[in-house]
Amino acid sequence: MCSLVENLLMLARVDAGQVEVNRTPVSLRSLVDECWKPHAGTAAARGIELRNTVPDDMVATTDREKLRVVIGNLLSNAAEYTANGGWVAISAPAGALLDVADSGPPIPPEHLDKIFDRMWRADDSRTATGIHCGIGLALARSLAATLGLTLSASSHPDGSVHFVVSTATT
């Protein structure tokens, strides 16, 4: 409940333009590792393998704490919704800051536009344990925009789901 309230307050602050951005150099690989730690035990118990291929020397100049919330929400969802025995892969592909992918199950195409809506959930397509409330992806996308980034999602033919954080284009 506390996490829900904190997320709602942060989302309200972002909406009101009351979020200050403090840019500093951030090591992306170590931030991803830090964000994965709270989910590592749950993922390991379900046989989910983490593949972090973000280069050790990759640095972004951004607000570390706000990017931590974005990455943390993506990894929380990946640890929760990835099928048992699957994988979560974080990479830094050309043209993007990060790609957070999981082995699926896929998100149906008709749901991809809705997953970033507040309080929207598609329980029939991705089974959850009930700890998610439909705010995380809305908050992640709003914070990404505040940082000058975009957050998009896609399902691939192999069943994998990709959340890509990129530099916003104007």
Side-chain angles (χ1 to χ4, degrees):
M1 184 63 82
C2 186
S3 178
L4 172 61
V5 171
E6 287 174 8
N7 283 343
L8 285 169
L9 286 171
M10 176 64 79
L11 196 52
R13 288 183 189 114
V14 170
D15 287 349
Q18 297 176 341
V19 175
E20 186 176 322
V21 175
N22 299 308
R23 295 184 190 280
T24 60
V26 176
S27 168
L28 292 179
R29 183 178 181 95
S30 64
L31 183 58
V32 167
D33 287 340
E34 175 187 321
C35 291
W36 180 252
K37 283 182 184 177
H39 312 291
T42 299
R46 296 182 52 234
I48 296 171
E49 173 193 359
L50 174 69
R51 303 172 186 164
N52 182 358
T53 62
V54 176
D56 287 330
D57 62 350
M58 187 165 179
V59 174
T61 301
T62 190
D63 188 306
R64 185 182 193 289
E65 287 310 303
K66 288 167 189 67
L67 186 58
R68 183 190 58 75
V69 172
V70 173
I71 296 169
N73 274 304
L74 297 176
L75 293 178
S76 173
N77 283 351
E80 180 74 17
Y81 293 113
T82 299
N84 290 347
W87 50 263
V88 174
I90 302 96
S91 62
L97 192 64
L98 292 172
D99 180 349
V100 178
D102 66 63
S103 56
I107 299 171
E110 65 272 15
H111 292 171
L112 284 171
D113 286 338
K114 298 175 185 174
I115 62 173
F116 294 103
D117 292 349
R118 296 168 193 195
M119 305 298 213
W120 189 87
R121 295 182 62 192
D123 287 339
D124 57 341
S125 69
R126 288 169 75 91
T127 306
T129 60
I131 63 169
H132 293 265
C133 61
I135 292 294
L137 288 176
L139 177 59
R141 183 176 257 183
S142 293
L143 281 174
T146 298
L147 297 173
L149 304 169
T150 60
L151 175 57
S152 61
S154 60
S155 288
H156 290 222
D158 66 355
S160 65
V161 177
H162 293 252
F163 287 88
V164 177
V165 180
S166 301
T167 303
T169 57
T170 54

